[in-house]
Amino acid sequence: ESPKVYDKLLLPKDSKYRQSIVISNPLGEDFSVMRTTPLGGMLTSLATNYNRRNKDVKLYELAKVYVPVEGEDLPDERVQFTLGFYGDGDFFTMKGVVEELLEQVGMKKRVHYDAKAGKTFLHPGRQANIIYDGVVVGYLGEVHPEVADNYGIGTRAYIAVIDMPEIVARATFDRKYTGIAKYPAVSRDISMV
């Protein structure tokens, strides 16, 4: 993606998200770095829908981010699950979606939230790290109003980013198959006139 995304997200100059892998032969400046956060694409998609007057939009993306590793030539390619919406709902709606996702993949322990996430691209009072079993597995919150303006979103928008390697390591995929009934259900067994 373009390094201009970092300015649109209000990232500080020393942010770890700005330490991206530079492509040696890019097609142009808009595609000159490997992304370290999936928010640029999600917010662009939300803005496109908002500008086309779609009222209630709920989107998701499952994609890789490329995090540089100290002393390594290759970055850490991490799959992240990004959720975004605007319209009908609020911070607690997004929180409920995240909890339902974790429950459906078999993560039955209680989820905790740390309000001191410190993300500059999220609203200061409406953001939290998602903590499961003592490990931060992601974050969620309302998009900072300035960031929403930078992308042309004229309403409150909410996002959640979940780190999939952390989820897969803790998920249980024990599911029992229940076959279809051999005999279909009968609503009336006998009739007498």
Side-chain angles (χ1 to χ4, degrees):
E1 66 185 5
S2 170
K4 293 177 184 173
V5 168
Y6 304 141
D7 293 329
K8 288 175 85 173
L9 290 173
L10 305 178
L11 293 173
K13 298 291 182 198
D14 61 344
S15 173
K16 67 175 184 172
Y17 293 112
R18 284 188 180 262
Q19 299 170 0
S20 52
I21 306 293
V22 179
I23 298 174
S24 58
N25 57 350
L27 297 173
E29 188 185 1
D30 288 346
F31 304 104
S32 62
V33 296
M34 302 296 281
R35 67 183 183 171
T36 56
T37 176
L39 294 180
M42 177 57 71
L43 292 174
T44 300
S45 296
L46 288 172
T48 301
N49 280 280
Y50 180 80
N51 292 325
R52 293 195 176 146
R53 300 200 183 351
N54 292 325
K55 289 185 180 180
D56 293 323
V57 174
K58 294 172 177 63
L59 303 173
Y60 75 93
E61 178 186 21
L62 190 64
K64 288 183 180 179
V65 295
Y66 303 88
V67 182
V69 179
E70 190 73 35
E72 296 285 330
D73 291 336
L74 297 175
D76 181 15
E77 297 181 30
R78 300 189 74 80
V79 176
Q80 292 189 334
F81 185 57
T82 309
L83 302 160
F85 81 89
Y86 68 81
D88 188 26
D90 59 5
F91 176 85
F92 297 103
T93 305
M94 182 62 83
K95 186 177 163 194
V97 169
V98 169
E99 288 177 1
E100 181 68 22
L101 169 73
L102 298 180
E103 187 176 319
Q104 290 299 321
V105 298
M107 296 170 70
K108 305 292 185 192
K109 293 182 182 176
R110 188 162 185 250
V111 181
H112 298 281
Y113 298 93
D114 178 15
K116 296 176 184 139
K119 308 290 186 203
T120 56
F121 44 83
L122 296 177
H123 191 289
R126 300 180 191 129
Q127 62 175 287
N129 280 330
I130 304 164
I131 301 170
Y132 183 83
D133 202 19
V135 176
V136 176
V137 296
Y139 57 88
L140 72 136
E142 180 183 325
V143 177
H144 195 287
E146 271 187 62
V147 175
D149 284 345
N150 289 344
Y151 279 92
I153 303 170
T155 186
R156 290 182 174 185
Y158 301 88
I159 57 103
V161 177
I162 299 170
D163 199 30
M164 289 310 290
E166 298 291 346
I167 299 301
V168 171
R170 290 164 178 76
T172 60
F173 298 100
D174 296 336
R175 303 289 186 269
K176 290 193 177 188
Y177 172 73
T178 306
I180 299 171
K182 199 173 190 183
Y183 304 103
V186 177
S187 58
R188 185 175 66 183
D189 194 30
I190 188 168
S191 171
M192 301 184 83
V193 181

